[in-house]
Amino acid sequence: MVSTHKGTVPFREYKTWYRVTGRPQAGRPALVVVHGGPGSTHDYLKGLSVYAERGWTVVHYDQIGNGGSTHLPDADPGFWTPRLFRDELENLLDRLDIADDYVLFGQSWGGMLAAWHASARPAGLRGLVIANSPASYPLWLSEMDVLRAQLPPGVDETLRRHEAAGTTDSDEYLEAMLVFYSRHVCRIEPWPNDLMASYLEAVTDPTVYRTMNGPNEFHVIGSLRDWSVIDCLPRIDVPTLVLSGRHDEATPVTVRPFQELIPNARWEIFEDSSHAPQFEEPERFYEVLGAFLDSVGAIGARTTTVSGG
């Protein structure tokens, strides 16, 4: 039976919640899962714990402000920055004593965060997975206009009317929003329980999401609206797997810089998926990701053997 333990680590005067599944094995770096949002939780990525059955130690955590980590609903908006979350990730790696041997899996916003971390060339990073992530929020916003224009007649008009009026909490707006979500966030009806759990957590405490992103995925008016990791991508020097869905809100235009600018990157597109291929095409998702992890683990095992004499 695969072992699991949960806990918190101190981060500044706060706490970061984590869960570790599996036990360390030679040649298997820890797999650290960085969720999206910002302002979501680990729940929708719990399925990655399956790799613990193949010898990986899988680490999930909730980023500060949500889930099991410290909530700060009254924090000044300026508190919530990408640097805060990068510092939190690096603190977690140190506190769990895995900073010398790990792979990062980052999904959506988490992929941007993981790429930014990787660009500093940390010595212990063995590989990087960037899943369903844009390389730039300005690119994301321009592509949102493209996707919105393709919605059924009247939907985008309804959305923009409420956005202009500041009534994005209205039932009519939420109904129109779900038309976009059902096409470009997850195409499964109803949504899987783990995905719904993360969504409800973000709705329950929307502090981080509303401050950094905005009211939803396609109306980004928060502090991230101008953020990009494009400039740092050429500095990433580990094997990188880029994943996206054909119907993803992270369109090919937003994802392509990862493939073009990271020297050792491979891009896999899931033809029947949007933003959640782990639910929409699970068999292929876990096959593709597992093959990449096995290759990175093999590299790590050879390196350990050579360095160990």
Side-chain angles (χ1 to χ4, degrees):
M1 185 175 179
V2 177
S3 65
T4 300
H5 72 270
K6 306 173 185 178
T8 61
V9 297
F11 169 57
R12 301 179 183 172
E13 61 267 47
Y14 315 113
K15 291 185 177 181
T16 300
W17 178 94
Y18 71 88
R19 184 181 70 190
V20 176
T21 308
R23 298 183 184 279
Q25 293 192 20
R28 293 294 200 196
L31 173 61
V32 181
V33 182
V34 187
H35 66 70
S40 185
T41 62
H42 78 286
D43 298 88
Y44 74 102
L45 295 171
K46 285 197 299 187
L48 272 69
S49 296
V50 70
Y51 293 111
E53 300 171 5
R54 294 167 55 170
W56 291 80
T57 302
V58 183
V59 178
H60 288 86
Y61 75 105
D62 286 336
Q63 293 162 23
I64 186 172
N66 288 89
S69 296
T70 303
H71 288 234
L72 295 159
D74 299 321
D76 183 273
F79 174 82
W80 305 107
T81 65
R83 169 56 69 180
L84 170 76
F85 291 99
R86 178 169 160 180
D87 288 349
E88 181 188 32
L89 170 60
E90 292 166 0
N91 177 74
L92 180 76
L93 297 172
D94 288 337
R95 295 281 186 174
L96 295 182
D97 197 25
I98 54 177
D100 60 347
D101 196 22
Y102 65 102
V103 173
L104 282 185
F105 175 99
Q107 199 273 341
S108 198
W109 134 267
M112 297 181 73
L113 183 62
W116 187 33
H117 167 83
S119 72
R121 298 184 173 180
L125 182 64
R126 306 298 177 218
L128 175 66
V129 182
I130 300 170
N132 317 101
S133 305
S136 148
Y137 275 98
L139 277 180
W140 174 276
L141 280 167
S142 66
E143 285 297 284
M144 289 303 104
D145 286 337
V146 174
L147 295 180
R148 289 171 65 144
Q150 297 170 359
L151 295 173
V155 174
D156 193 36
E157 179 185 356
T158 298
L159 292 170
R160 292 187 187 277
R161 173 163 46 83
H162 285 286
E163 288 162 5
T167 52
T168 56
D169 287 331
S170 71
D171 289 343
E172 185 181 38
Y173 185 84
L174 294 174
E175 184 177 342
M177 181 189 82
L178 291 176
V179 176
F180 180 97
Y181 278 38
S182 66
R183 288 184 170 207
H184 302 298
V185 178
C186 183
R187 296 165 73 87
I188 297 173
E189 295 287 348
W191 276 10
N193 290 339
D194 287 345
L195 180 58
M196 201 65 200
S198 285
Y199 178 77
L200 291 175
E201 286 271 8
V203 170
T204 300
D205 186 350
T207 305
V208 182
Y209 188 81
R210 288 286 180 108
T211 302
M212 298 184 74
N213 191 84
N216 55 51
E217 297 293 275
F218 51 82
H219 188 45
V220 181
I221 56 176
S223 58
L224 286 178
R225 61 187 178 276
D226 298 318
W227 194 55
S228 170
V229 296
I230 288 177
D231 289 347
C232 76
L233 298 180
R235 299 197 295 272
I236 296 173
D237 63 352
V238 294
T240 301
L241 175 64
V242 181
L243 307 174
S244 67
R246 179 63 65 191
H247 309 282
D248 207 324
E249 57 182 352
T251 67
V253 170
T254 72
V255 176
R256 190 168 291 117
F258 292 119
Q259 193 267 335
E260 292 181 343
L261 297 175
I262 298 175
N264 188 11
R266 178 169 63 86
W267 185 7
E268 291 279 346
I269 297 177
F270 293 83
E271 295 294 334
D272 297 319
S273 295
S274 58
H275 201 54
Q278 72 272 27
F279 299 117
E280 296 163 300
E281 292 180 73
E283 186 173 341
R284 180 162 180 252
F285 173 85
Y286 286 106
E287 178 184 349
V288 169
L289 178 55
F292 174 78
L293 293 176
D294 285 343
S295 70
V296 172
I299 293 171
R302 289 199 297 273
T303 303
T304 300
T305 301
V306 171
S307 63

